[in-house]
Amino acid sequence: MSGIAILTAALIMSVLGLIFGALLGVTGRVFKVPSNPKAEALRECLPGANCGACGFPGCDGYASAVADGKAEVGACAVGGAACAAKMAEIMGVEATASVRMIATVACQGYGDHCAPKAQYDGMQDCVAASMVNNGTKACSYACLGLGTCVRACPFDAIHIDPVKKIAVVDKEKCQGCKKCVAACPQHVLSMQPADRVVTVSCHNPEKGIALKEKCDRACISCEACVKACNFDALTMENGVPKVDYSKCVGCMACADACPTGAMQANFETRKEAYINPDLCVGCTICAKNCKFDAIDGALKQTHKVLGACTGCGICAEKCPKHAITMRDRRAPRNKMDKVKKAPAAPKAPAAPKADPVVSKPESK
């Protein structure tokens, strides 16, 4: 090929490049989509994790939805309250306080509690293991401990306990993105409030002794926790208890009643009520509001708190003299240490009914 031909081809390509470049520039101006300055400002507030926990395709999608009025501020779990406050300031609205949610593991199937069903030598992935003989443990709903959730977490907030071989969530690192929840084939993980006091640590819907033989810490659907809850915060759903955390006061009575340990609570943080004798006027309001018969005292006499106190704090809220405070417990709760109430008076026997008088017809 001659030099003239090469130069001609290069010149033609250059001219075509200039023409197409000009056309693209004109097209970009004609069809330009006007940018929303609020969306850009909102995007600057977001952390850029693009986790999708807000329900939108990344931070750009969420910022655009908020700017267009299609989403509320404060849905970014990673950004938290600080991010919500900045977004609310841009949008000219008030940031509502949201409950921080974190991933929670509903399984205690480790060690002797839930023995392996079979030896597994396949791919170290929970999805793969769940497809072989319906899992590797006696309980088909147990955490398989092969780290699928670990690999799905972008915040290094979950790991497999080296001894228990089940997933453990780091509450401080968890950002509530729900990626581990979506990745778990056993549905062991769910989102729960970070400040929860009690946790349901089993999600197996099976019932009875057969389930307990698979895992001695499984929920056996006995409903003892539901009966122990005096605040209507527990209901049975699909064979396991479900906690309504908006009603739960943290009394831990459900965990006290659970016979298998499926309902977990940190009893070390449990409080107890203390009545200041200098402030108590014996109004009995605290005793009337105590749902555990844990306050003793007659009218116009100083009251005292018994060992059955659960630390729910209802009495402290109701006391008109602010004589009750919540303090660290001096001893574990003794649920049998209740106010000794007088037995109900026996009912008087009902008077026997008189036989009906039948009048005889008069003889004519």
Side-chain angles (χ1 to χ4, degrees):
M1 184 180 290
S2 65
I4 296 176
I6 294 174
L7 290 174
T8 302
L11 179 62
I12 292 173
M13 294 301 294
S14 299
V15 171
L16 288 174
L18 290 172
I19 293 173
F20 287 124
L23 288 174
L24 287 173
V26 172
T27 304
R29 289 179 176 274
V30 172
F31 295 101
K32 180 181 179 180
V33 178
S35 61
N36 188 335
K38 282 190 176 182
E40 295 178 359
L42 291 168
R43 179 62 185 84
E44 292 297 321
C45 300
L46 297 170
N50 294 315
C51 62
C54 58
F56 294 90
C59 296
D60 289 335
Y62 176 52
S64 299
V66 174
D68 295 339
K70 297 179 180 178
E72 300 290 335
V73 300
C76 180
V78 180
C83 175
K86 292 179 182 178
M87 296 179 72
E89 183 179 354
I90 294 171
M91 295 300 295
V93 297
E94 184 177 353
T96 55
S98 58
V99 177
R100 180 172 174 257
M101 306 291 282
I102 62 171
T104 306
V105 180
C107 179
Q108 299 182 80
Y110 58 87
D112 295 335
H113 302 301
C114 184
K117 179 169 57 178
Q119 182 66 31
Y120 176 73
D121 297 321
M123 184 185 300
Q124 295 299 295
D125 179 78
C126 297
V127 177
S130 67
M131 299 174 70
V132 178
N133 198 22
N134 200 21
T136 61
K137 295 184 178 180
C139 175
S140 57
Y141 294 84
C143 172
L144 301 179
L146 297 178
T148 300
C149 55
V150 176
R151 293 184 286 274
C153 179
F155 303 103
D156 189 33
I158 189 167
H159 66 276
I160 303 300
D161 187 286
V163 177
K164 296 180 178 180
K165 302 299 182 182
I166 60 174
V168 179
V169 178
D170 187 327
K171 295 181 179 180
E172 301 302 323
K173 289 184 179 180
C174 181
Q175 302 297 322
C177 70
K178 305 178 187 176
K179 286 191 174 181
C180 60
V181 177
C184 179
Q186 299 293 94
H187 307 292
V188 168
L189 289 152
S190 62
M191 302 305 295
Q192 303 290 344
D195 59 350
R196 69 192 183 281
V197 176
V198 293
T199 303
V200 183
S201 297
C202 178
H203 73 115
N204 191 328
E206 299 174 13
K207 299 180 181 180
I209 302 301
L211 173 58
K212 195 172 181 180
E213 291 176 353
K214 295 179 181 179
C215 178
D216 60 11
R217 291 199 174 183
C219 173
I220 56 176
S221 302
C222 66
E223 301 189 22
C225 55
V226 177
K227 296 172 184 176
C229 180
N230 292 324
F231 302 95
D232 296 326
L234 275 171
T235 54
M236 297 300 293
E237 186 174 296
N238 196 25
V240 294
K242 181 178 180 181
V243 184
D244 184 344
Y245 288 103
S246 65
K247 296 180 179 180
C248 178
V249 299
C251 70
M252 307 185 195
C254 54
D256 283 333
C258 180
T260 65
M263 182 71 73
Q264 292 282 298
N266 186 0
F267 292 110
E268 293 182 359
T269 63
R270 194 181 221 169
K271 302 291 185 179
E272 68 177 355
Y274 168 72
I275 300 177
N276 187 336
D278 296 329
L279 298 177
C280 178
V281 295
C283 65
T284 71
I285 290 178
C286 56
K288 291 176 181 176
N289 282 278
C290 179
K291 296 181 179 294
F292 301 95
D293 295 333
I295 298 179
D296 191 17
L299 182 64
K300 296 184 180 180
Q301 293 181 0
T302 302
H303 288 43
K304 65 177 181 179
V305 179
L306 304 180
C309 175
T310 62
C312 68
I314 300 297
C315 57
E317 294 177 7
K318 299 294 184 180
C319 179
K321 297 297 181 179
H322 306 289
I324 304 177
T325 56
M326 305 306 296
R327 67 181 183 184
D328 294 335
R329 295 194 75 88
R330 298 166 298 172
R333 183 196 178 214
N334 177 10
K335 58 183 178 181
M336 302 305 294
D337 187 12
K338 299 182 179 182
V339 176
K340 306 300 186 291
K341 295 190 175 182
K347 294 182 179 180
K353 294 182 179 180
D355 295 331
V357 177
V358 179
S359 58
K360 296 181 180 181
E362 294 180 359
S363 55
K364 296 183 180 179

